[in-house]
Amino acid sequence: MRRDVEAARDRAPVAAAPQSSRAAGRRLPHSGMRRAIARRLTESKQQVPHFYLTVDCRMDALLALRAQANQGGAVKLSVNDFIVRAAALALREVPEVNASWHEDAIEFHAGADISVAVATDGGLVTPIVRDADVKPLSAIAAEIVELAGRAKVNRLKPEEFTGGSLTVSNLGMYGIKQFAAIINPPQAAILAVGAAERRPVVDDNGDLKAATVMTVTLSADHRVVDGAVGARWLAAFRALIEAPVRILL
């Protein structure tokens, strides 16, 4: 009897699991801009030998200066405005980074033109602030707002986002602490900027205290920029950020 029950159980059909229905996934055809961005980034990552350098910058002095400068000012300065000008001034101090690779030569640029990464619905766009090393911060701030506004509605002219010396990509407003960005050819470097946040630090006297710190990572093209050169540029940038009165001069 027991064998008969077991045999009948083995012959019984197995009930199928209940199936739940769901809508099909959505496909979004590539736009021309998305295809161009994908192509350039793929070429950059595959063909450009990236290397990465990271430093922490003390931000308390800069934040205090910014707050003072914004009191009653017609143009409100952002932290990114200071970063853009500091990047340009660092290019003036270390001009070896202000260069591009060509198959027959390295081209050193005459001006310090800083591209600013702007997120749009169609993808990442990098409008350029030309001669950012000689423009006052108020002019840089107004220009970034104007360029970013036109970038988001696809109203930039090709010459406004083509070329450039170095790109600043800032994700600090999203709470990103640190990241490494892909170089924007024909440039030889891009600066990835993280969030300014309160952290414990040890001062020069060995005492532990709280400070506002921002982590930045330089991605550099090793065909153009040697490691020591990239380190000198990053040191120059940090020195400007930590002594921000120099950025105003």
Side-chain angles (χ1 to χ4, degrees):
M1 176 65 74
R2 180 177 178 182
R3 287 195 298 269
D4 293 340
V5 171
E6 291 176 347
R9 182 190 61 193
D10 293 340
R11 292 193 299 271
V14 178
Q19 298 293 321
S20 60
S21 61
R22 62 180 181 182
R26 184 172 68 97
R27 290 174 60 87
L28 180 65
H30 298 311
S31 65
M33 177 184 292
R34 177 59 68 182
R35 288 183 185 277
I37 292 170
R39 183 183 69 255
R40 287 174 58 81
L41 291 179
T42 301
E43 290 173 354
S44 176
K45 195 63 175 175
Q46 291 179 344
Q47 300 176 12
V48 177
H50 289 57
F51 74 94
Y52 309 95
L53 300 171
T54 300
V55 296
D56 291 333
C57 304
R58 301 278 187 94
M59 296 293 290
D60 297 281
L62 188 150
L63 294 175
L65 180 62
R66 172 179 174 256
Q68 185 177 2
N70 280 342
Q71 289 180 357
V75 177
K76 298 302 182 183
L77 304 176
S78 70
V79 171
N80 205 51
D81 300 329
F82 282 86
I83 291 170
V84 167
R85 187 151 200 272
L89 293 173
L91 287 177
R92 184 194 296 175
E93 293 187 32
V94 189
E96 299 97 318
V97 177
N98 192 7
S100 296
W101 172 266
H102 300 280
E103 290 304 321
D104 60 337
I106 293 175
E107 177 188 2
F108 293 94
H109 305 300
D113 303 330
I114 305 300
S115 301
V116 180
V118 176
T120 73
D121 292 339
L124 192 68
V125 183
T126 52
I128 301 170
V129 180
R130 304 283 180 184
D131 298 313
D133 59 324
V134 297
K135 289 178 178 175
L137 269 174
S138 57
I140 290 174
E143 191 169 340
I144 289 175
V145 169
E146 195 270 337
L147 286 170
R150 287 196 289 114
K152 291 180 179 179
V153 293
N154 196 25
R155 292 291 185 270
L156 289 177
K157 301 174 184 176
E159 60 268 23
E160 292 178 316
F161 59 85
T162 302
S165 301
L166 177 146
T167 296
V168 169
S169 180
N170 191 340
L171 293 179
M173 67 286 294
Y174 298 105
I176 301 300
K177 181 177 180 179
Q178 178 184 344
F179 69 105
I182 299 175
I183 294 170
N184 179 24
Q187 299 171 10
I190 183 170
L191 186 69
V193 180
E197 58 184 14
R198 299 292 286 176
R199 302 181 199 170
V201 299
V202 178
D203 63 18
D204 294 336
N205 297 321
D207 297 324
L208 185 67
K209 66 176 186 179
T212 304
V213 179
M214 176 183 73
T215 300
V216 298
T217 298
L218 181 73
S219 305
D221 181 348
H222 219 326
R223 299 172 302 178
V224 180
V225 180
D226 293 332
V229 172
R232 284 197 290 112
W233 185 90
L234 208 49
F237 173 83
R238 179 170 59 182
L240 286 158
I241 292 295
E242 295 186 349
V245 171
R246 295 173 55 204
I247 302 175
L248 294 176
L249 300 177

